[in-house]
Amino acid sequence: MPAHPALSEVIAALDALWPRERAEQWDAVGTVCGDVPNPEARVSRVLFAVDPVWEVAEEAVSTGAQLLVTHHPLYLRGTTTVAADTFKGRVVHTLIGNGVALHVAHTNADTADPGVSDALAGALGLRVLRPLVPDTTDPHGRRGLGRICELDRPLPLAEFAELAAARLPVTAQGVRAAGDPGRLVRTVAVCGGSGDSLFDAVRASGADAYLTADLRHHPASEAREQSPLALVDAAHFATEWPWCEQAAAQLDAIAEREGWDLRTAVSRTVTDPWTAHAASLDGGAAAQQTSLSASDFTPGAPN
Protein backbone atom coordinates (compact mmCIF):
# COMPACT_ATOMS: atom_id res chain seq x y z
CA MET A 1 0.00 0.00 0.00
CA PRO A 2 1.18 3.58 -0.64
CA ALA A 3 2.74 5.17 2.41
CA HIS A 4 2.19 8.59 3.87
CA PRO A 5 5.22 10.70 2.86
CA ALA A 6 7.48 12.31 5.43
CA LEU A 7 6.95 16.01 6.02
CA SER A 8 10.49 16.59 4.75
CA GLU A 9 9.61 14.87 1.45
CA VAL A 10 6.54 17.04 0.92
CA ILE A 11 8.44 20.22 1.79
CA ALA A 12 11.17 19.23 -0.69
CA ALA A 13 8.47 18.78 -3.36
CA LEU A 14 7.03 22.23 -2.60
CA ASP A 15 10.49 23.77 -2.77
CA ALA A 16 10.99 22.16 -6.17
CA LEU A 17 7.73 23.70 -7.41
CA TRP A 18 8.48 27.13 -5.92
CA PRO A 19 12.19 27.46 -5.11
CA ARG A 20 12.73 29.78 -2.17
CA GLU A 21 15.64 31.50 -3.87
CA ARG A 22 13.26 32.86 -6.52
CA ALA A 23 11.34 34.90 -3.95
CA GLU A 24 11.91 38.64 -3.69
CA GLN A 25 14.54 39.63 -1.13
CA TRP A 26 11.94 41.34 1.06
CA ASP A 27 9.69 38.30 1.09
CA ALA A 28 9.29 35.67 3.82
CA VAL A 29 8.70 32.28 2.24
CA GLY A 30 9.36 28.68 3.20
CA THR A 31 8.44 26.68 6.28
CA VAL A 32 7.20 28.79 9.18
CA CYS A 33 6.58 26.00 11.67
CA GLY A 34 6.77 22.21 11.64
CA ASP A 35 9.25 19.54 12.68
CA VAL A 36 10.64 19.00 9.20
CA PRO A 37 13.77 16.99 10.20
CA ASN A 38 11.72 14.51 12.21
CA PRO A 39 11.39 11.30 10.15
CA GLU A 40 8.31 10.41 12.18
CA ALA A 41 6.51 13.54 10.97
CA ARG A 42 4.22 12.22 8.25
CA VAL A 43 1.68 13.91 6.01
CA SER A 44 -1.59 12.40 4.84
CA ARG A 45 -3.51 15.61 4.13
CA VAL A 46 -2.47 19.09 2.94
CA LEU A 47 -4.68 22.17 2.99
CA PHE A 48 -4.03 25.09 0.60
CA ALA A 49 -5.25 28.62 1.38
CA VAL A 50 -4.50 32.25 0.57
CA ASP A 51 -4.11 33.64 4.10
CA PRO A 52 -2.66 32.07 7.26
CA VAL A 53 -5.32 33.54 9.54
CA TRP A 54 -6.61 31.79 12.65
CA GLU A 55 -9.85 30.67 10.97
CA VAL A 56 -7.83 28.87 8.31
CA ALA A 57 -5.53 27.36 10.96
CA GLU A 58 -8.61 26.00 12.72
CA GLU A 59 -9.83 24.61 9.40
CA ALA A 60 -6.55 22.80 8.90
CA VAL A 61 -6.89 21.24 12.34
CA SER A 62 -10.55 20.29 11.92
CA THR A 63 -9.95 18.67 8.53
CA GLY A 64 -7.06 16.58 9.83
CA ALA A 65 -4.32 18.25 7.80
CA GLN A 66 -0.71 17.89 8.90
CA LEU A 67 0.44 20.65 6.55
CA LEU A 68 -1.05 24.04 5.68
CA VAL A 69 0.31 25.77 2.59
CA THR A 70 -0.57 29.45 2.16
CA HIS A 71 0.25 32.05 -0.43
CA HIS A 72 0.61 34.96 1.97
CA PRO A 73 3.30 34.90 4.66
CA LEU A 74 2.38 34.85 8.33
CA TYR A 75 5.40 36.93 9.35
CA LEU A 76 6.35 39.26 6.51
CA ARG A 77 8.08 41.64 8.93
CA GLY A 78 10.21 40.83 11.93
CA THR A 79 8.65 40.05 15.27
CA THR A 80 9.82 39.61 18.84
CA THR A 81 7.04 37.33 20.03
CA VAL A 82 4.88 34.36 19.13
CA ALA A 83 2.84 34.71 22.31
CA ALA A 84 -0.62 33.20 22.03
CA ASP A 85 -2.26 36.47 23.06
CA THR A 86 -1.22 38.00 19.70
CA PHE A 87 -3.25 36.98 16.68
CA LYS A 88 -0.25 35.65 14.75
CA GLY A 89 1.08 33.89 17.82
CA ARG A 90 -2.31 32.28 18.24
CA VAL A 91 -2.02 30.88 14.73
CA VAL A 92 1.42 29.43 15.51
CA HIS A 93 0.23 27.90 18.80
CA THR A 94 -2.86 26.43 17.14
CA LEU A 95 -0.80 24.81 14.40
CA ILE A 96 2.06 23.51 16.54
CA GLY A 97 -0.28 22.33 19.28
CA ASN A 98 -2.12 20.19 16.76
CA GLY A 99 0.87 18.93 14.79
CA VAL A 100 0.25 21.06 11.70
CA ALA A 101 3.17 22.55 9.76
CA LEU A 102 2.89 25.83 7.84
CA HIS A 103 4.66 26.50 4.54
CA VAL A 104 4.50 29.70 2.47
CA ALA A 105 4.95 30.19 -1.29
CA HIS A 106 4.52 33.87 -2.12
CA THR A 107 6.53 35.80 -4.72
CA ASN A 108 8.28 32.56 -5.68
CA ALA A 109 4.82 31.28 -6.66
CA ASP A 110 3.94 34.56 -8.40
CA THR A 111 6.70 34.15 -10.97
CA ALA A 112 6.60 30.35 -11.27
CA ASP A 113 5.66 28.36 -14.36
CA PRO A 114 2.79 27.85 -13.82
CA GLY A 115 2.30 30.63 -11.32
CA VAL A 116 -0.37 32.72 -9.64
CA SER A 117 -1.21 34.69 -12.76
CA ASP A 118 -1.51 31.52 -14.85
CA ALA A 119 -4.15 30.30 -12.39
CA LEU A 120 -5.93 33.66 -12.60
CA ALA A 121 -5.90 33.52 -16.40
CA GLY A 122 -7.22 29.96 -16.30
CA ALA A 123 -10.09 30.95 -14.01
CA LEU A 124 -11.09 33.61 -16.56
CA GLY A 125 -10.75 31.30 -19.55
CA LEU A 126 -7.90 33.33 -21.02
CA ARG A 127 -5.17 31.91 -23.24
CA VAL A 128 -1.72 32.76 -21.85
CA LEU A 129 0.69 34.15 -24.44
CA ARG A 130 3.72 35.12 -22.36
CA PRO A 131 4.85 36.67 -19.06
CA LEU A 132 4.14 40.35 -18.53
CA VAL A 133 7.55 40.89 -16.89
CA PRO A 134 9.77 37.95 -17.93
CA ASP A 135 12.23 36.38 -15.52
CA THR A 136 15.57 36.98 -17.25
CA THR A 137 17.03 33.85 -15.63
CA ASP A 138 14.51 31.58 -17.39
CA PRO A 139 15.95 30.40 -20.71
CA HIS A 140 12.50 29.22 -21.83
CA GLY A 141 10.88 32.61 -21.26
CA ARG A 142 7.91 31.18 -19.37
CA ARG A 143 8.53 32.39 -15.83
CA GLY A 144 7.92 35.94 -14.72
CA LEU A 145 5.50 38.34 -13.11
CA GLY A 146 2.00 38.63 -14.56
CA ARG A 147 0.81 37.26 -17.88
CA ILE A 148 -0.25 38.63 -21.27
CA CYS A 149 -3.36 36.77 -22.37
CA GLU A 150 -5.94 36.64 -25.12
CA LEU A 151 -9.70 36.12 -25.12
CA ASP A 152 -11.23 33.60 -27.52
CA ARG A 153 -13.29 36.45 -28.92
CA PRO A 154 -13.34 40.18 -28.22
CA LEU A 155 -15.72 41.34 -25.50
CA PRO A 156 -16.88 44.82 -24.54
CA LEU A 157 -15.16 45.96 -21.37
CA ALA A 158 -18.42 45.80 -19.42
CA GLU A 159 -18.95 42.16 -20.43
CA PHE A 160 -15.38 41.26 -19.59
CA ALA A 161 -15.79 42.79 -16.12
CA GLU A 162 -18.98 40.77 -15.68
CA LEU A 163 -17.11 37.64 -16.78
CA ALA A 164 -14.45 38.28 -14.14
CA ALA A 165 -17.11 38.82 -11.47
CA ALA A 166 -18.76 35.53 -12.44
CA ARG A 167 -15.56 33.47 -12.51
CA LEU A 168 -13.73 34.77 -9.42
CA PRO A 169 -14.67 34.12 -5.78
CA VAL A 170 -17.42 36.24 -4.30
CA THR A 171 -16.18 39.26 -2.35
CA ALA A 172 -17.86 42.39 -1.00
CA GLN A 173 -15.89 44.53 -3.47
CA GLY A 174 -16.82 42.53 -6.53
CA VAL A 175 -15.17 43.80 -9.72
CA ARG A 176 -14.94 47.40 -10.92
CA ALA A 177 -13.72 48.72 -14.25
CA ALA A 178 -12.29 51.95 -15.66
CA GLY A 179 -12.70 52.85 -19.32
CA ASP A 180 -15.31 52.95 -22.04
CA PRO A 181 -17.75 50.10 -21.17
CA GLY A 182 -18.30 49.41 -24.86
CA ARG A 183 -14.62 49.29 -25.84
CA LEU A 184 -13.71 45.87 -27.22
CA VAL A 185 -11.14 43.88 -25.27
CA ARG A 186 -9.13 41.07 -26.86
CA THR A 187 -5.71 41.10 -25.18
CA VAL A 188 -5.58 41.24 -21.39
CA ALA A 189 -2.68 41.63 -19.00
CA VAL A 190 -3.32 39.94 -15.66
CA CYS A 191 -1.45 40.00 -12.38
CA GLY A 192 -2.70 38.23 -9.28
CA GLY A 193 -2.53 40.45 -6.19
CA SER A 194 -1.45 44.09 -6.08
CA GLY A 195 -0.40 45.09 -9.58
CA ASP A 196 -0.36 48.87 -9.95
CA SER A 197 3.45 48.90 -9.97
CA LEU A 198 3.41 47.23 -13.40
CA PHE A 199 1.61 49.88 -15.46
CA ASP A 200 4.68 50.67 -17.57
CA ALA A 201 5.04 47.02 -18.57
CA VAL A 202 1.31 46.73 -19.28
CA ARG A 203 1.34 49.79 -21.55
CA ALA A 204 4.43 48.50 -23.33
CA SER A 205 2.68 45.17 -23.96
CA GLY A 206 -0.10 46.86 -25.94
CA ALA A 207 -2.81 45.02 -23.98
CA ASP A 208 -6.36 46.33 -24.28
CA ALA A 209 -7.11 45.81 -20.59
CA TYR A 210 -5.34 45.08 -17.33
CA LEU A 211 -6.94 42.94 -14.62
CA THR A 212 -5.33 42.99 -11.20
CA ALA A 213 -6.13 44.00 -7.61
CA ASP A 214 -5.65 46.87 -5.15
CA LEU A 215 -5.61 49.63 -7.76
CA ARG A 216 -5.09 52.98 -6.03
CA HIS A 217 -6.62 56.26 -7.13
CA HIS A 218 -3.55 58.15 -8.34
CA PRO A 219 -1.77 55.33 -10.22
CA ALA A 220 -5.06 54.29 -11.84
CA SER A 221 -5.93 57.88 -12.78
CA GLU A 222 -2.50 58.47 -14.28
CA ALA A 223 -2.66 55.19 -16.18
CA ARG A 224 -6.00 56.17 -17.69
CA GLU A 225 -4.65 59.60 -18.71
CA GLN A 226 -1.60 58.15 -20.43
CA SER A 227 -3.31 55.57 -22.66
CA PRO A 228 -6.68 54.06 -23.60
CA LEU A 229 -5.83 51.04 -21.40
CA ALA A 230 -8.94 49.72 -19.63
CA LEU A 231 -8.57 48.70 -15.99
CA VAL A 232 -10.37 45.89 -14.20
CA ASP A 233 -9.90 45.84 -10.44
CA ALA A 234 -10.86 42.76 -8.41
CA ALA A 235 -10.32 41.92 -4.75
CA HIS A 236 -6.78 40.84 -3.84
CA PHE A 237 -8.03 37.57 -2.33
CA ALA A 238 -10.15 36.79 -5.38
CA THR A 239 -7.27 37.16 -7.84
CA GLU A 240 -5.00 34.82 -5.88
CA TRP A 241 -7.43 32.13 -4.72
CA PRO A 242 -7.35 30.24 -8.07
CA TRP A 243 -3.66 29.52 -7.39
CA CYS A 244 -4.67 27.34 -4.44
CA GLU A 245 -6.51 24.94 -6.74
CA GLN A 246 -3.65 24.95 -9.23
CA ALA A 247 -1.09 24.34 -6.47
CA ALA A 248 -3.11 21.50 -4.98
CA ALA A 249 -3.32 19.85 -8.42
CA GLN A 250 0.45 20.16 -8.81
CA LEU A 251 1.05 18.42 -5.49
CA ASP A 252 -1.53 15.77 -6.38
CA ALA A 253 0.45 15.00 -9.53
CA ILE A 254 3.67 14.64 -7.54
CA ALA A 255 1.96 12.37 -5.01
CA GLU A 256 0.66 10.14 -7.79
CA ARG A 257 4.06 9.98 -9.43
CA GLU A 258 5.81 9.18 -6.14
CA GLY A 259 3.19 6.69 -5.00
CA TRP A 260 2.32 8.70 -1.88
CA ASP A 261 -0.86 8.22 0.10
CA LEU A 262 -1.58 11.93 0.22
CA ARG A 263 -4.74 13.99 -0.20
CA THR A 264 -5.00 17.70 -0.84
CA ALA A 265 -7.82 20.13 -0.14
CA VAL A 266 -8.40 23.80 -0.90
CA SER A 267 -9.84 26.10 1.74
CA ARG A 268 -13.05 27.74 0.59
CA THR A 269 -13.01 30.19 3.47
CA VAL A 270 -13.20 33.74 2.15
CA THR A 271 -10.43 35.63 3.93
CA ASP A 272 -10.87 38.89 2.06
CA PRO A 273 -10.98 41.51 4.86
CA TRP A 274 -13.89 43.49 3.38
CA THR A 275 -17.34 42.25 4.39
CA ALA A 276 -19.91 44.68 2.94
CA HIS A 277 -20.38 47.09 0.05
CA ALA A 278 -22.54 50.21 -0.07
CA ALA A 279 -23.50 51.18 -3.60
CA SER A 280 -23.58 54.86 -4.58
CA LEU A 281 -26.98 56.03 -5.84
CA ASP A 282 -27.77 58.41 -8.69
CA GLY A 283 -29.09 61.88 -7.98
CA GLY A 284 -27.02 62.51 -4.87
CA ALA A 285 -29.22 60.28 -2.72
CA ALA A 286 -27.73 58.77 0.40
CA ALA A 287 -25.82 55.58 -0.21
CA GLN A 288 -27.87 52.48 0.35
CA GLN A 289 -26.24 49.58 2.18
CA THR A 290 -26.16 46.51 0.00
CA SER A 291 -27.46 43.58 1.99
CA LEU A 292 -25.28 40.52 1.50
CA SER A 293 -26.79 37.19 2.45
CA ALA A 294 -24.88 34.16 3.64
CA SER A 295 -25.13 32.69 0.15
CA ASP A 296 -23.32 35.74 -1.24
CA PHE A 297 -20.36 34.76 0.91
CA THR A 298 -20.26 31.08 0.04
CA PRO A 299 -16.61 30.43 0.90
CA GLY A 300 -14.47 30.48 -2.20
CA ALA A 301 -17.40 29.90 -4.50
CA PRO A 302 -17.70 31.74 -7.82
CA ASN A 303 -20.61 34.09 -8.45
Side-chain angles (χ1 to χ4, degrees), residues 41-42 48 150 153 162 170 172 183 199 214 234 281-282 296:
R42 297 277 164 174
F48 287 83
E150 191 172 60
R153 62 181 178 85
E162 290 173 358
V170 174
R183 181 173 185 261
F199 278 134
D214 297 341
L281 300 181
D282 291 335
D296 291 324

Side-chain angles (χ1 to χ4, degrees), residues 14 26 98 117-118 137 144 152 169 198 214 221 251 261 263 294-295:
L14 299 180
W26 52 263
N98 290 278
S117 293
D118 290 294
T137 67
D152 287 337
L198 303 180
D214 297 341
S221 176
L251 185 56
D261 182 7
R263 291 186 300 160
S295 63

Side-chain angles (χ1 to χ4, degrees), residues 1-301:
M1 291 182 61
H4 299 315
L7 175 60
S8 60
E9 293 179 292
V10 180
I11 295 299
L14 299 180
D15 281 337
L17 289 172
W18 313 295
R20 304 184 198 193
E21 62 270 18
R22 290 184 186 155
E24 296 290 338
Q25 289 188 345
W26 52 263
D27 206 359
V29 302
T31 305
V32 179
C33 65
D35 192 2
V36 179
N38 182 0
E40 300 301 316
R42 297 277 164 174
V43 179
S44 62
R45 189 173 181 85
V46 181
L47 180 67
F48 287 83
V50 175
D51 295 296
V53 295
W54 182 75
E55 187 178 4
V56 170
E58 282 285 281
E59 183 181 354
V61 172
S62 66
T63 57
Q66 296 82 34
L67 175 60
L68 171 62
V69 180
T70 64
H71 181 53
H72 289 151
L74 178 63
Y75 289 105
L76 188 55
R77 298 174 178 84
T79 187
T80 59
T81 179
V82 292
D85 60 355
T86 64
F87 83 90
K88 292 188 178 185
R90 186 184 185 196
V91 170
V92 172
H93 280 260
T94 297
L95 294 175
I96 293 178
N98 290 278
V100 183
L102 172 61
H103 188 85
V104 173
H106 191 212
T107 53
N108 49 333
D110 286 334
T111 58
D113 172 32
V116 170
S117 293
D118 290 294
L120 174 57
L124 299 174
L126 302 175
R127 182 167 65 91
V128 173
L129 303 178
R130 61 187 185 276
L132 172 60
V133 181
D135 180 346
T136 57
T137 67
D138 177 18
H140 304 291
R142 297 179 59 87
R143 293 198 309 267
L145 195 58
R147 295 293 185 268
I148 300 297
C149 310
E150 191 172 60
L151 286 158
D152 287 337
R153 62 181 178 85
L155 289 177
L157 173 61
E159 288 188 30
F160 177 67
E162 290 173 358
L163 171 69
R167 297 286 185 87
L168 296 178
V170 174
T171 61
Q173 172 184 318
V175 174
R176 56 185 181 174
D180 178 358
R183 181 173 185 261
L184 289 180
V185 172
R186 175 179 284 278
T187 56
V188 182
V190 301
C191 180
S194 303
D196 65 11
S197 65
L198 303 180
F199 278 134
D200 287 344
V202 174
R203 281 191 292 269
S205 75
D208 299 319
Y210 181 33
L211 187 150
T212 187
D214 297 341
L215 291 180
R216 297 169 295 163
H217 175 88
H218 292 295
S221 176
E222 291 172 6
R224 292 285 302 129
E225 291 296 325
Q226 293 185 49
S227 75
L229 176 69
L231 305 178
V232 182
D233 184 37
H236 191 121
F237 164 84
T239 64
E240 293 182 331
W241 185 82
W243 172 80
C244 296
E245 290 192 321
Q246 175 181 277
Q250 288 178 274
L251 185 56
D252 283 337
I254 293 173
E256 183 176 357
R257 184 174 69 243
E258 298 294 331
W260 293 343
D261 182 7
L262 178 72
R263 291 186 300 160
T264 64
V266 174
S267 173
R268 304 187 79 81
T269 300
V270 175
T271 54
D272 187 75
W274 305 106
T275 58
H277 172 75
S280 300
L281 300 181
D282 291 335
Q288 176 182 338
Q289 179 70 37
T290 300
S291 177
L292 297 173
S293 67
S295 63
D296 291 324
F297 285 96
T298 303

